[in-house]
């Protein structure tokens, strides 16, 4: 066990004991030895679970049946298709392109060519072709680190430009926006990208880069320093957008770990000026999310006075967000989750409870027509090339169906499957599966959506194993997707459930706010209520129930097992946010305080203390088994959330249940893993869950 070193922090006259605060220094020798020992223990125990190797072999075998996968499809104004494709199992995707959907496929770039002398493994995590498809920008990241470097390729000659642009993260923050004349682009620059620095990711700036110039000579367009009158904080992200190739405007937004931003605009012609004149457009209080431009009008989604969102229109020159023209009114039963503009009109998606999606078209700014989909969908993403083009695409997916891409045929008024590889089975459909979408009453009577997935024939006799997932932060909706954990779990006869808890976005803005800051307890209490429902209705029993979540979902899972430890046999938390009281001092902490609150405010301090899983652990309590993972290169969350929680739990629990910890020195937040790494992680987690829920074939050797 890790030794205790008692320290006391005082907040508003309240003393808070912290025996593992020293772990916040990741170079502490006691901590590094403890991590080494815990990693060794985890490998020995997980490796000793019977049939874990057989499970991994089966997962790998399934992966090699259809090893080819295509992702990050981009279509230029000229209908060039750019996409990433891996052709062999566990191969890093390469960049390909075609001059049309059915054109000849050509390799543009293999990430193995990037910095070959370094012998490091790089992955492409973002691409952006110029409007005319003459050039394409490629972002590459080392392993799972996310912070990136960018290069530019001439598409026709496949020549790689010599300049390398660093200090960026386009896959997450704003992306790259090409100028209408394709001569250069804007991107978000971070002055400090060293994780150990207190200035990590602070004071970001949108900069303009012109092709062929020295990328070290920054031409800043929008930043805290450049715009001192805009009250920008050092943790804010100063992003910019150029909407299409005909745009007369560039838009700037002060964003962060929140759905809403302060927005400004300027004319494109000002972009090379020494100082851009940014005019105010909307504020955070206008609750604007996604928006498009048509002429001199802004078409946007907002939750202002409409928790389930509406689509509105206002002038860019004389914006009126208090009384805009309403194009699509709010639906009290479904949330507007996406929309796009085409030459043929405005198309939008409405989703009920985050799991039942439909597509609609606005006709003549008055009537709404439902658009027939090729199949029922739990999730729909709709996209186009802009209001000057007729092209319309949707990608749809479900709990047991991989994402499928369709293009709309306006003449025949139907969607047609768009496949870039005819030999690829992109839709691995699982048969004989039951999906129940219900709502259950929470602790306060509020109805919480609950998704339940299992194979036909399962008897409701309290003997089934349950893996229940929840998130509940940032207004993010836990939408249907065939997660590897889900598919493997139900294949082994288990019940998989998703609790769509408050704090997420499944039921609109009000749902988010009911699990926000001081109301955060609703998040884990909703999970507890869903778990109790499944037990009371004989889907499972507490000794066969495993709760799992990741990142911001660590609050939900951590507090559920510390508030109701006897309700769960085990918990799995990946890269979890577990020590909210200290979160502001860690990686991304200042930005995340926009979501969870700050200890500088007395009421928010109390809320942070209540949602803190680490400080909720009580001595001599019978806690369930716990499996925790984290990465030392995580650019989103400090690793000590995991280490402090694990050390405290291991010391406090009165049970003999294991507290397993896997801290990877090469990985980050787990979003850029190779297929073999995903498979290994899946085998570890499913084996652990089967072991802890008593599966006879998955006990320790």
């Amino acid at each position: 066990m890790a030794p205790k070193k008692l320290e006391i922090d005082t907040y508003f006259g309240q003393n808070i004991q912290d025996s593992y605060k020293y772990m916040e220094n990741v170079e502490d020798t006691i901590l590094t030895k403890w991590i080494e020992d815990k990693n060794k223990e985890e490998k020995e125990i997980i490796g000793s679970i019977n049939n874990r190797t057989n499970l991994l072999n089966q997962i790998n075998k399934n992966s090699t049946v259809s090893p080819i996968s295509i992702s990050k499809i981009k279509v230029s104004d000229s209908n060039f298709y750019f996409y990433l494709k891996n052709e062999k199992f566990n191969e890093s995707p390469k960049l390909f392109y075609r001059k049309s959907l059915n054109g000849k496929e050509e390799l543009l770039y293999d990430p193995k060519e990037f910095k070959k002398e370094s012998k490091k493994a790089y992955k492409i995590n973002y691409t952006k072709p110029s409007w005319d498809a003459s050039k394409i920008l490629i972002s590459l990241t080392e392993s799972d680190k996310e912070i990136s470097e960018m290069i530019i390729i001439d598409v026709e000659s496949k020549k790689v430009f010599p300049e390398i642009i660093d200090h960026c993260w386009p896959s997450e923050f704003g992306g790259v926006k090409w100028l209408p004349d394709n001569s250069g682009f804007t991107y978000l620059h971070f002055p400090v990208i060293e994780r150990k620095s207190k200035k990590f990711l602070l004071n970001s700036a949108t900069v303009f880069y012109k092709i062929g110039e020295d990328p070290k000579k920054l031409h800043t367009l929008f930043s805290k320093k450049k715009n001192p009158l805009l009250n920008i904080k050092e943790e804010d992200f100063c992003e910019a957008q150029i909407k299409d190739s005909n745009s007369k405007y560039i838009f700037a937004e002060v964003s962060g770990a929140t759905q809403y931003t302060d927005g400004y605009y300027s004319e494109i012609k000002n972009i090379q000026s020494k100082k851009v004149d940014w005019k105010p457009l909307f504020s955070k209080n206008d609750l604007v999310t996604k928006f498009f431009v048509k002429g001199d009008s802004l078409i946007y989604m907002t939750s202002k006075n409409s928790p389930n969102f509406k689509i509105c229109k206002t002038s860019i020159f004389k914006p009126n967000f208090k009384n805009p023209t309403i194009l699509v009114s709010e639906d009290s039963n479904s949330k507007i989750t996406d929309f796009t503009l085409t030459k043929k009109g405005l198309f939008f998606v409405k989703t009920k409870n985050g799991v039942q999606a439909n597509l609609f078209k606005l006709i003549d700014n008055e009537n709404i027509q439902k658009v027939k989909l090729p199949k029922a969908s739990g999730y729909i993403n709709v996209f186009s090339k802009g209001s000057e083009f007729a092209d319309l695409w949707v990608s749809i997916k479900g709990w047991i169906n991989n994402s499928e891409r369709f293009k709309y045929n306006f003449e025949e008024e139907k969607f047609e499957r768009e496949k870039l590889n005819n030999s690829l089975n992109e839709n691995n459909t699982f048969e004989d599966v039951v999906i129940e979408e219900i709502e259950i009453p929470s602790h306060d009577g509020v109805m919480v959506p609950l998704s339940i997935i299992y194979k036909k024939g399962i008897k409701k006799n309290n003997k089934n194993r349950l893996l229940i997932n929840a998130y509940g932060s940032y207004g993010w909706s836990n939408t249907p997707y065939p997660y590897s954990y889900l598919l493997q779990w139900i294949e082994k006869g288990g019940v998989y459930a998703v609790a769509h808890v408050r704090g997420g976005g499944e039921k609109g803005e009000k749902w988010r706010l009911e699990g926000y800051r001081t109301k955060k307890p609703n998040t884990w209490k909703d999970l507890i209520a869903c778990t109790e429902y499944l037990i009371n209705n004989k889907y499972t029993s507490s000794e066969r129930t495993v709760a799992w979540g990741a990142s911001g979902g660590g609050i939900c899972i951590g507090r559920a097992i510390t508030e109701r430890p006897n309700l769960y046999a085990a918990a799995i938390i990946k890269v979890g946010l577990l020590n909210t009281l200290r979160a502001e001092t860690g990686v991304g902490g200042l930005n995340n305080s926009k979501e969870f609150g700050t200890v500088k405010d007395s009421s928010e301090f109390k809320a942070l203390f209540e949602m803190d899983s680490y400080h909720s652990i009580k001595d001599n309590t019978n806690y369930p088994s716990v499996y925790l993972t984290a990465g030392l290169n995580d650019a989103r969350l400090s690793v000590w959330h995991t280490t402090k929680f694990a050390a405290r739990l291991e010391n406090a629990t009165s049970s003999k249940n294991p507290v397993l910890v896997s801290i990877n020195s090469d990985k980050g937040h787990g979003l850029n893993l190779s297929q073999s790494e995903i498979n290994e992680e899946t085998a570890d987690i499913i084996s652990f869950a089967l072991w802890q829920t008593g599966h006879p074939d998955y006990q320790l050797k």
Side-chain angles (χ1 to χ4, degrees):
M1 290 187 184
K4 294 181 179 181
K5 293 184 178 182
L6 181 62
E7 295 185 51
I8 297 176
D9 293 315
T10 303
Y11 303 90
F12 301 99
Q14 184 174 346
N15 292 330
I16 305 296
Q17 296 186 354
D18 192 339
S19 296
Y20 300 96
K21 190 175 178 180
Y22 69 90
M23 287 188 168
E24 295 176 20
N25 174 13
V26 294
E27 296 179 349
D28 185 285
T29 54
I30 295 176
L31 171 63
T32 55
K33 180 62 169 62
W34 180 83
I35 289 176
E36 182 183 336
D37 292 342
K38 292 299 290 182
N39 276 342
K40 183 178 179 182
E41 176 192 48
E42 181 268 343
K43 285 181 171 58
E44 289 177 352
I45 292 178
I46 294 296
S48 297
I49 299 175
N50 272 313
N51 287 309
R52 185 265 178 198
T53 301
N54 293 337
L55 174 62
L56 175 60
N57 290 339
Q58 184 59 50
I59 295 171
N60 285 337
K61 183 179 179 181
N62 293 342
S63 298
T64 56
V65 171
S66 295
I68 300 174
S69 67
I70 289 175
S71 62
K72 300 188 186 301
I73 301 169
K74 302 284 176 63
V75 185
S76 72
D77 287 359
S78 54
N79 284 323
F80 279 34
Y81 279 69
F82 298 88
Y83 51 92
L84 300 184
K85 183 176 81 168
N86 62 315
E87 299 175 288
K88 297 179 182 178
F89 170 65
N90 204 41
E91 181 181 69
S92 291
K94 303 171 186 176
L95 176 63
F96 291 83
Y97 89 106
R98 302 177 185 190
K99 293 184 178 180
S100 66
L101 175 63
N102 298 313
K104 178 185 175 183
E105 179 179 85
E106 295 188 48
L107 174 65
L108 257 183
Y109 193 73
D110 185 339
K112 291 179 182 177
E113 298 300 314
F114 186 67
K115 294 188 173 182
K116 292 174 72 172
E117 69 284 356
S118 71
K119 297 183 179 179
K120 294 179 180 178
Y122 285 90
K123 298 174 184 175
I124 300 173
N125 65 346
Y126 177 86
T127 66
K128 186 71 171 182
S130 59
W131 304 110
D132 64 358
S134 64
K135 296 174 281 291
I136 186 167
L137 176 136
I138 303 173
S139 166
L140 299 110
T141 182
E142 181 190 347
S143 188
D144 189 35
K145 291 181 179 179
E146 295 195 271
I147 304 296
S148 308
E149 296 174 87
M150 302 189 299
I151 59 174
I152 305 154
I153 294 180
D154 180 89
V155 173
E156 189 65 33
S157 67
K158 299 180 184 175
K159 174 188 173 183
V160 179
F161 287 68
E163 295 81 15
I164 296 177
I165 302 168
D166 53 22
H167 287 249
C168 53
W169 191 351
S171 62
E172 182 64 22
F173 297 106
V176 165
K177 308 298 180 184
W178 285 89
L179 266 63
D181 65 1
N182 306 291
S183 64
F185 50 80
T186 67
Y187 71 96
L188 194 64
H189 173 86
F190 295 98
V192 180
I193 57 173
E194 294 298 324
R195 289 185 66 262
K196 296 176 184 178
S197 170
K198 292 183 179 180
K199 293 294 184 180
F200 179 61
L201 299 186
L202 299 182
N203 297 306
S204 67
T206 286
V207 300
F208 165 59
Y209 175 71
K210 190 168 184 177
I211 304 298
E213 293 185 348
D214 182 358
K216 300 295 183 184
K217 295 179 180 179
L218 302 178
H219 177 53
T220 303
L221 300 179
F222 188 56
S223 68
K224 173 180 171 64
K225 183 178 180 180
K226 199 89 170 179
N227 306 91
L229 300 179
L230 298 185
N231 195 31
I232 299 172
K233 298 177 182 177
E234 63 177 358
E235 66 268 22
D236 291 333
F237 300 126
C238 297
E239 302 183 48
Q241 294 189 53
I242 299 171
K243 286 297 185 179
D244 55 57
S245 58
N246 299 310
S247 181
K248 297 186 296 182
Y249 307 103
I250 179 171
F251 299 90
E253 293 181 73
V254 181
S255 66
T258 174
Q259 285 190 310
Y260 306 110
T261 65
D262 292 323
Y264 306 86
Y265 78 98
S266 186
E267 294 186 56
I268 285 280
K269 63 183 181 181
N270 297 328
I271 202 166
Q272 297 196 54
S273 303
K274 289 186 178 181
K275 182 173 173 57
V276 178
D277 179 26
W278 294 105
K279 296 180 175 63
L281 185 58
F282 54 78
S283 75
K284 292 184 180 70
N285 296 329
D286 292 315
L287 306 181
V288 174
T289 54
K290 189 173 187 177
F291 68 88
F292 291 95
V293 175
K294 188 171 184 180
D296 294 324
S297 296
L298 198 75
I299 315 295
Y300 65 97
M301 274 175 59
T302 177
S303 62
K304 190 160 189 175
N305 302 318
S306 304
N308 279 345
F309 290 81
K310 60 190 174 188
I311 301 174
C312 301
K313 176 181 177 180
T314 192
S315 165
I316 293 175
F317 293 131
K318 296 180 179 180
N320 185 349
F321 291 96
K322 289 185 178 180
N323 294 293
T325 300
I326 299 175
L327 301 178
V328 181
S329 299
E330 179 193 25
D331 184 332
S332 60
N333 295 314
S334 297
K335 174 186 172 184
I336 297 176
T337 51
D338 198 11
F339 87 105
T340 194
L341 293 181
T342 74
K343 194 174 183 178
K344 298 284 188 176
L346 185 154
F347 293 82
F348 63 98
V349 179
K350 290 198 295 187
T351 308
K352 183 176 181 180
N353 292 344
V355 295
Q356 297 171 338
N358 287 288
L359 180 66
F360 298 86
K361 178 183 179 181
L362 178 66
I363 302 173
D364 300 326
N365 291 335
E366 292 181 2
N367 301 313
I368 292 174
Q369 174 185 317
K370 189 174 183 179
V371 181
K372 186 179 179 180
L373 292 167
K375 59 171 63 178
S377 176
Y379 172 86
I380 301 172
N381 178 226
V382 59
F383 42 101
S384 69
K385 293 193 291 186
S387 61
E388 301 299 316
F389 299 87
D391 308 81
L392 175 73
W393 292 269
V394 294
S395 64
I396 64 177
K397 59 189 175 185
W399 291 118
I400 56 172
N401 299 94
N402 288 334
S403 179
E404 296 177 81
R405 181 182 171 101
F406 298 86
K407 186 174 183 180
Y408 196 63
N409 184 323
F410 283 95
E411 290 184 2
E412 299 185 20
E413 296 186 335
K414 68 176 184 179
F415 279 102
E416 297 172 346
R417 181 77 180 275
E418 188 175 81
K419 292 183 70 172
L420 288 167
N421 192 307
N422 292 326
S423 66
L424 175 60
N425 178 18
E426 294 176 89
N427 182 32
N428 296 321
T429 303
F430 283 71
E431 298 178 353
D432 299 324
V433 173
V434 176
I435 301 173
E436 297 180 25
E437 301 290 2
I438 63 174
E439 291 185 89
I440 63 100
S442 190
H443 67 102
D444 54 0
V446 171
M447 301 302 288
V448 179
L450 175 63
S451 302
I452 312 168
I453 305 130
Y454 53 89
K455 277 198 165 186
K456 283 182 182 178
I458 281 182
K459 296 178 181 179
K460 297 176 183 178
N461 55 9
N462 291 120
K463 294 182 180 180
N464 303 303
R465 290 173 294 280
L466 170 70
L467 186 60
I468 185 167
N469 172 248
Y471 188 77
S473 292
Y474 306 106
W476 180 78
S477 296
N478 208 338
T479 55
Y481 183 79
Y483 296 102
S484 57
Y485 312 104
L486 183 165
L487 301 178
Q488 289 301 321
W489 186 256
I490 63 175
E491 276 293 293
K492 295 291 179 288
V495 176
Y496 188 93
V498 176
H500 301 279
V501 299
R502 279 173 278 187
E506 286 88 342
K507 297 179 80 169
E509 177 66 2
K510 185 177 178 181
W511 197 249
R512 179 185 79 89
L513 294 175
E514 285 297 309
Y516 176 72
R517 296 195 182 185
T518 57
K519 292 187 176 182
K520 195 64 184 170
N522 285 327
T523 299
W524 65 83
K525 290 181 186 294
D526 286 351
L527 171 59
I528 289 170
C530 288
T531 306
E532 289 178 325
Y533 172 87
L534 292 164
I535 292 172
N536 293 338
N537 286 273
K538 299 185 177 182
Y539 288 88
T540 189
S541 59
S542 59
E543 60 268 23
R544 290 179 170 84
T545 297
V546 180
W548 93 273
S551 192
I555 294 174
C556 183
I557 306 302
R559 284 299 285 114
I561 65 170
T562 51
E563 185 162 306
R564 292 289 302 280
N566 294 330
L567 194 60
Y568 302 94
I572 300 161
I573 305 174
K574 292 174 50 184
V575 293
L577 177 56
L578 296 161
N579 186 195
T580 50
L581 202 58
R582 293 285 299 162
E584 280 177 273
T585 68
V587 173
L590 290 175
N591 220 302
N592 285 323
S593 66
K594 297 172 183 177
E595 170 72 14
F596 303 111
T598 173
V599 294
K600 297 172 185 177
D601 179 278
S602 60
S603 61
E604 291 181 2
F605 150 69
K606 291 178 181 178
L608 287 165
F609 188 47
E610 187 174 8
M611 72 177 80
D612 194 305
S613 302
Y614 168 68
H615 283 296
S616 299
I617 298 170
K618 295 179 175 61
D619 291 328
N620 301 313
T621 302
N622 189 21
Y623 286 108
S625 304
V626 176
Y627 188 18
L628 302 141
T629 72
L632 287 176
N633 285 308
D634 196 330
R636 298 170 185 249
L637 202 64
S638 294
V639 70
W640 46 257
H641 285 276
T642 294
T643 59
K644 290 177 70 176
F645 181 82
R648 173 81 177 101
L649 188 69
E650 190 174 40
N651 187 278
T653 186
S654 60
S655 73
K656 295 182 180 179
N657 295 323
V659 177
L660 300 184
V661 183
S662 176
I663 308 292
N664 194 295
S665 60
D666 296 322
K667 294 180 183 177
H669 208 62
L671 299 176
N672 288 286
L673 302 180
S674 66
Q675 189 60 53
S676 66
E677 288 172 327
I678 293 171
N679 292 355
E680 287 276 356
E681 184 179 77
T682 301
D684 290 346
I685 286 175
I686 296 300
S687 297
F688 172 81
L690 291 170
W691 167 37
Q692 290 302 312
T693 52
H695 195 297
D697 296 337
Y698 287 85
Q699 298 304 301
L700 294 184
K701 297 175 184 177

